[in-house]
Amino acid sequence: MLHPATPQDLPHERVRIVIIPADGIRAPIERVFAQPVIRVGRPDPANPGQAPELNLHPDMTVSREHATILRQGARWLVEDQRSKHGTALNGKQIQGAGAVEIPFGALIRTGDSLWTLIPEDWWSVPFDSVLIVAPCARVLNYASYHCGMPIMPRLVAINTARSVSRPFMLRLQVSGLSTPVDIRVAPLEPEMSREIAVPALAFDTASLRAQIEPIRASIRLDYEAKLGVEPSVDTLGGRGALPQYPPDATPLRLRGERELTVLGFWDWPYDSASRRTIAAFVTPRNPAVERIINEAQAKPGARAFRELLRTGAPDAELEILRSLYDFLATQRCIHYEDPKLKSGVALTPYQSIRSPHRIFHGDNPRDPGRATCIDLAVLFAACLEHVGLCPLIIFSGAADIAPRHALVGVWVGSTPGGQPVIDDQAMLIREIRSGRMHTVEGTGVTLDVGGGKPRLAFADAVAQAAALIERAAWVSAVDVLALRPPHGTITPLENAYEPEVARIYDECRRLATVQGARHVETGHLFCAIITAGGEITDRLFSRMNLNLAEMRAAVRGPELAREGILRVVATQNVLETQQLAFNFARDAGSPSVREQDLLWAVMQKAPLSPKLQDLLRKLQIDLARMRELLADEFPSPLLAATGVFANERLGQAE
């Protein structure tokens, strides 16, 4: 089974060497290296300009040319250069053994100097005489959690002392977002390291689903050991054995923290470890995708896509790709939106993704759709997967840092499988030239935001995609179907509520709790719209000349610890409002409830809630005017069909 990559699975061209001072008091010294060959030693006074890259002066037990560190593909090796005092790897002498692979976090002794080699992005935390090093994510969002990307899959505990370490416990958590996990570590032998699996963190998924903008959080690693009887080698027993200390032993508690960026629900981090998570944003069952497929294959003379595939025609994949491309180019008006790159480098380590329903049902459906190249690649891939084809999302750029462009590909026949991420550019070029893969420039269906650029013909879009893949400095392809079960583990994202709506519901429960209410009522829901609503709410109240800051202050209420938020249950009217919001979303072709859907549902139910009507009067909100403004921006087909706002059959008054 294929699993999402973790940082230690990927090639590391830059590494960090952590040097542990011999006195055990000073903090470790860290240096970053990018070269494939690193000489270890100390300077020769006769040749002061020829100092080794890893200079261990003033340790006179280190030879001038003591050892060499080499990079071979994804591996790093160390070779002793016939030094006087030799080189030991995790306590084992390797002098005369040639080049030996260095496991990340292994403790290396050259002379009297101790050091370890880890990837540049690993976290290192010194605790007492123990050094903890670990691959550790710097970004988190619901998609990475959904895809099983661990925050810290494992850690390496290194005993830097020449005596047995104390047993200790580590506690790992993401502050305010996860429950902690405890890791008990038995005593470590002198100058040895041990790799330890880290249990998965359980996150507050409601918070991750409701995240809109990136926020800062922190990963905390707490260390606790007992000061008392020092363990000896005899007390080690097995790896899981822990000696018993007196109950009154003094605890030693230390803490390490690392900053973490929590991204929005629709944000996609494009670093190497997270790149394959783009498959989660490909949603073949999205109602907008189903609508595109149905309309594209309903053109006069067109054949149903699945029927075309069943015929076994050799050009079936190309014809389906052509039909989708021509339909989007001629029957949908999509403007290309620049993802705001500066000097070829992205301003942020992530990019927000518009899923298909968000391309065509954005903030104002009267405006044309807007999409970046990655939005369109995701849209095409979702359509291709929906009809049973094997899509790829292909990235290109100047280097494997921040992809500068994305386009879509499709395998002819079944996916070769077993290679969810293809970094072999020559292979991709061969597959395209042989006809085993078709690619297309998705942005060819769009117009510039200013409306000046003509759309590309399908043949030109195909030729442009192939030329780009051949001339790009770096290319990487994510094979979507190779990441789906049963071969992989990544399934499409599902979200009942857009992040703005999830945040409103969370705030609604909080308000009811701090007010001591027995139930969540529609009045609480409307107050939550005021305090936690998004851009649409802000715009509506601004157009009504209402002071939103004053209204928020009036209904906000005191803060409440998160664990108390879910104490109250909703009234029947609130439950029916939620269902009505789903109806508005479904009627508009959205798989999740959007802010405008919830606003329509609340206004539909408002006449049935005397408490809500009383709140509207106190806040001087004209409900009829609010309806008019919302209808101007977001006309609802559902309301246009019924011609009414409130219906007594929807529920009873609170």
Side-chain angles (χ1 to χ4, degrees):
M1 180 176 288
L2 301 171
H3 294 279
T6 53
Q8 72 271 17
D9 299 325
L10 303 167
H12 294 275
E13 296 184 357
R14 294 171 63 90
V15 291
R16 192 150 41 97
I17 293 179
V18 183
I19 304 169
I20 295 102
D23 56 21
I25 299 173
R26 290 171 296 157
I29 302 165
E30 301 186 358
R31 297 174 184 167
V32 176
F33 296 89
Q35 57 266 52
V37 178
I38 304 168
R39 295 173 298 154
V40 182
R42 57 186 175 86
D44 184 350
N47 296 292
Q50 300 296 318
E53 288 78 21
L54 182 57
N55 184 353
L56 297 176
H57 178 79
D59 184 356
M60 300 306 292
T61 63
V62 173
S63 302
R64 292 190 176 94
E65 296 182 7
H66 196 110
T68 303
I69 303 170
L70 308 166
R71 185 180 75 222
Q72 289 185 0
R75 303 190 308 154
W76 287 84
L77 305 96
V78 62
E79 183 175 4
D80 184 86
Q81 298 297 324
R82 298 182 180 179
S83 63
K84 182 178 180 180
H85 295 285
T87 301
L89 178 66
N90 268 348
K92 182 179 180 182
Q93 187 60 237
I94 62 168
Q95 193 174 48
V100 178
E101 184 172 359
I102 308 173
F104 290 143
L107 194 61
I108 301 171
R109 173 177 286 281
T110 46
D112 286 336
S113 296
L114 287 175
W115 51 275
T116 188
L117 180 144
I118 58 176
E120 182 189 19
D121 56 352
W122 277 33
W123 189 17
S124 64
V125 196
F127 293 126
D128 196 18
S129 63
V130 173
L131 177 67
I132 303 296
V133 296
C136 188
R138 287 193 175 273
V139 295
L140 165 72
N141 71 341
Y142 182 78
S144 60
Y145 182 66
H146 171 84
C147 294
M149 300 291 293
I151 287 291
M152 184 188 291
R154 63 186 177 101
L155 60 82
V156 180
I158 306 170
N159 179 13
T160 63
R162 296 198 176 192
S163 59
V164 177
S165 73
R166 302 181 182 94
F168 58 92
M169 185 181 76
L170 298 171
R171 171 165 289 183
L172 176 70
Q173 64 181 314
V174 177
S175 300
L177 285 172
S178 78
T179 55
V181 295
D182 292 337
I183 307 159
R184 294 170 65 85
V185 182
L188 299 167
E189 295 181 22
E191 296 185 6
M192 292 292 288
S193 65
R194 183 186 303 162
E195 183 176 313
I196 300 168
V198 176
L201 291 173
F203 282 92
D204 178 2
T205 55
S207 294
L208 294 179
R209 285 178 182 272
Q211 199 60 43
I212 299 172
E213 297 292 335
I215 61 170
R216 298 293 183 188
S218 64
I219 304 173
R220 277 177 28 191
L221 189 63
D222 293 302
Y223 169 95
E224 181 175 324
K226 299 290 186 180
L227 301 178
V229 180
E230 296 295 328
S232 64
V233 175
D234 294 335
T235 67
L236 284 172
R239 281 195 170 184
L242 293 175
Q244 298 296 314
Y245 285 114
D248 58 347
T250 304
L252 171 65
R253 295 188 178 97
L254 302 170
R255 172 174 292 177
E257 289 194 68
R258 191 185 203 194
E259 190 176 82
L260 177 74
T261 301
V262 182
L263 301 177
F265 182 90
W266 293 111
D267 293 336
W268 171 66
Y270 45 67
D271 60 273
S272 298
S274 304
R275 191 161 296 145
R276 65 185 64 197
T277 63
I278 192 64
F281 293 90
V282 178
T283 52
R285 297 303 171 191
N286 191 302
V289 169
E290 295 178 356
R291 185 173 297 179
I292 289 169
I293 295 296
N294 292 336
E295 293 181 16
Q297 63 188 1
K299 294 187 301 182
R303 298 166 67 181
F305 293 156
R306 290 185 180 274
E307 180 185 333
L308 180 60
L309 287 174
R310 281 195 292 269
T311 65
D315 58 349
E317 291 84 359
L318 186 62
E319 284 304 309
I320 292 172
L321 190 59
R322 183 197 307 274
S323 296
L324 289 170
Y325 183 93
D326 290 343
F327 174 80
L328 291 172
T330 59
Q331 303 301 316
R332 293 287 186 272
C333 185
I334 309 173
H335 281 318
Y336 173 71
E337 187 165 285
D338 195 311
K340 298 178 177 60
L341 296 181
K342 182 179 180 182
S343 302
V345 179
L347 300 177
T348 55
Y350 65 92
Q351 184 167 335
S352 294
I353 304 292
R354 289 183 182 89
S355 67
H357 70 280
R358 296 173 73 237
I359 293 175
F360 300 111
H361 300 279
D363 286 346
N364 190 340
R366 290 182 176 177
D367 287 343
R370 299 179 187 277
T372 63
C373 59
I374 184 64
D375 298 337
L376 290 161
V378 166
L379 171 62
F380 272 102
C383 292
L384 294 167
E385 186 180 1
H386 180 88
V387 299
L389 294 177
C390 307
L392 306 96
I393 297 179
I394 304 172
F395 301 102
S396 66
D400 183 11
I401 300 173
R404 294 189 60 183
H405 191 60
L407 45 88
V408 71
V410 60
W411 290 107
V412 174
S414 61
T415 175
Q419 200 169 356
V421 178
I422 304 170
D423 292 320
D424 187 342
Q425 186 173 4
M427 173 210 170
L428 292 172
I429 293 171
R430 287 195 306 270
E431 296 296 312
I432 294 169
R433 288 178 176 176
S434 68
R436 278 273 300 126
M437 180 192 296
H438 300 304
T439 57
V440 68
E441 175 57 69
T443 61
V445 303
T446 67
L447 293 168
D448 282 342
V449 174
K453 184 188 71 172
R455 295 181 176 92
L456 288 176
F458 177 71
D460 294 333
V462 169
Q464 192 173 107
L468 175 63
I469 292 171
E470 295 208 14
R471 69 171 183 265
W474 166 83
V475 173
S476 179
V478 175
D479 190 329
V480 175
L481 226 58
L483 288 163
R484 298 284 194 237
H487 307 293
T489 59
I490 296 180
T491 56
L493 282 178
E494 294 182 358
N495 193 27
Y497 307 113
E498 289 290 298
E500 295 83 356
V501 176
R503 186 171 62 174
I504 289 170
Y505 284 145
D506 193 46
E507 173 70 359
C508 175
R509 291 188 292 270
R510 188 194 72 83
L511 287 172
T513 302
V514 298
Q515 292 174 12
R518 296 177 61 186
H519 298 91
V520 176
E521 301 177 357
T522 49
H524 297 125
L525 187 55
F526 194 84
C527 288
I529 289 171
I530 293 173
T531 58
E535 294 180 4
I536 297 173
T537 300
D538 290 356
R539 195 162 56 246
L540 281 178
F541 287 133
S542 176
R543 292 182 64 186
M544 295 171 69
N545 296 318
L546 295 171
N547 190 318
L548 189 56
E550 289 183 1
M551 287 195 299
R552 282 177 174 159
V555 302
R556 173 66 185 167
E559 291 298 329
L560 180 71
R562 179 164 296 279
E563 54 267 23
I565 289 178
L566 302 177
R567 292 177 184 167
V568 289
V569 296
T571 62
Q572 184 64 28
N573 257 13
V574 170
L575 295 175
E576 290 174 354
T577 300
Q578 292 176 319
Q579 183 57 53
L580 190 56
F582 274 114
N583 294 343
F584 279 110
R586 191 160 42 244
D587 191 65
S590 173
S592 52
V593 175
R594 304 159 302 167
E595 189 179 0
Q596 60 266 39
D597 300 321
L598 180 59
L599 285 169
W600 274 126
V602 170
M603 283 187 277
Q604 275 281 75
K605 294 291 290 181
L608 302 174
S609 174
K611 291 183 180 180
L612 177 54
Q613 292 181 54
D614 185 52
L615 175 66
L616 293 172
R617 283 191 294 270
K618 288 180 180 178
L619 296 174
Q620 298 182 343
I621 296 175
D622 185 343
L623 186 61
R625 176 60 177 158
M626 192 172 174
R627 287 169 172 162
E628 290 176 6
L629 293 175
L630 187 61
D632 181 55
E633 286 202 47
F634 300 98
S636 169
L638 187 62
L639 287 179
T642 60
V644 295
F645 281 103
N647 188 323
E648 292 292 341
R649 292 176 299 173
L650 293 175
Q652 299 300 315
E654 292 171 332

